[in-house]
Amino acid sequence: MRETLTLGGERVVCDERGVLFFPDLSLLAVSDLHLEKGSSFARRGALLPPYDTAATLARLGAIVAEYAPRMVVSLGDSFHDGGGAERMPDIFRRQVEALAAGRDWFWIAGNHDPDAPAGLPGDSVRELTIGALSFRHEPSSTIVDGEIAGHLHPCARIVQRGRSVRRRCFASDGHRIVMPAFGSYTGSLNVLDHAYAALFRWERFFAYMLGRDRVFAIARPMLRPG
């Protein structure tokens, strides 16, 4: 079961795979793909299994096939570094081209990839405004209604019946949403960390934790650090 919220006057579906879908706009948002992270680490002598781009694009491809959106917005850090698009093997470049074919595709600049991805389709922008919604990589430092951002890789932790559960999550107070990282090699930061302190109206806050086949809405009093 997926959670449907209203943000900036638009319905938005929180999908358990870590994407947002705006049905009335036919818009799919995804954040922090960090494509080619494995090859980025390899260049610095830290070897990781080189399967992250393949796994991330396979998951994204299945979601795009299901929703068939007219527009896709990738909320920054789509590549792990500025040279990631150039290093990406041709087989993956063709996959991205196929995903973008016939729809509007926006690459929002991130701190890891501030420039347009070389040779790939789509428009590169600093941020994107659609009606009352604003899409950007890093959350604004003050509370902004209708903002969808990434960057912080939110997760949440709860303890029930002595069992600790920690999962990636959408972080929202109904006014803005910070999206979880989608990439295969991405870490996460607990929503109780000080980095989130000024971003939300905490009396209205929920962590929408990603389960195997559903999203769980967890209120602030149930959350635990760590």
Side-chain angles (χ1 to χ4, degrees), residues 27-35 56-57 60 71-79 96 104-110 113 117 121 123-128 135-137 148-150 179 182:
L27 184 156
L28 183 77
V30 63
S31 189
D32 294 273
L33 299 172
H34 282 271
L35 298 171
T56 300
L57 288 179
L60 182 59
M71 183 185 306
V72 174
V73 179
S74 184
L75 286 179
D77 286 1
S78 303
F79 291 86
V96 173
D104 295 325
W105 192 287
F106 292 94
W107 304 101
I108 291 182
D113 57 349
D123 296 311
S124 296
V125 295
R126 303 301 302 178
E127 56 184 85
L128 180 67
F135 298 85
R136 62 198 318 269
H137 179 58
I148 303 97
M179 295 187 64
F182 189 84

Side-chain angles (χ1 to χ4, degrees), residues 159-164:
V159 177
Q160 288 189 315
R161 300 176 183 174
R163 179 173 175 242
S164 175

Side-chain angles (χ1 to χ4, degrees), residues 157-192:
R157 176 176 172 265
I158 59 173
V159 177
Q160 288 189 315
R161 300 176 183 174
R163 179 173 175 242
S164 175
V165 178
R166 189 177 191 269
R167 294 284 189 273
R168 292 180 302 136
C169 70
F170 300 98
S172 182
D173 59 0
H175 294 272
R176 66 150 35 120
I177 296 177
V178 178
M179 295 187 64
F182 189 84
S184 296
Y185 285 172
T186 50
S188 54
L189 181 66
N190 192 296
V191 293
L192 299 185

Side-chain angles (χ1 to χ4, degrees), residues 1 18 21 44 47 56 88-89 94 97 126 157 186 196-197:
M1 184 174 64
F21 183 63
R44 302 196 297 271
L47 297 183
T56 300
M88 192 165 63
R94 290 194 294 272
E97 290 167 357
R126 303 301 302 178
R157 176 176 172 265
T186 50
Y196 300 91

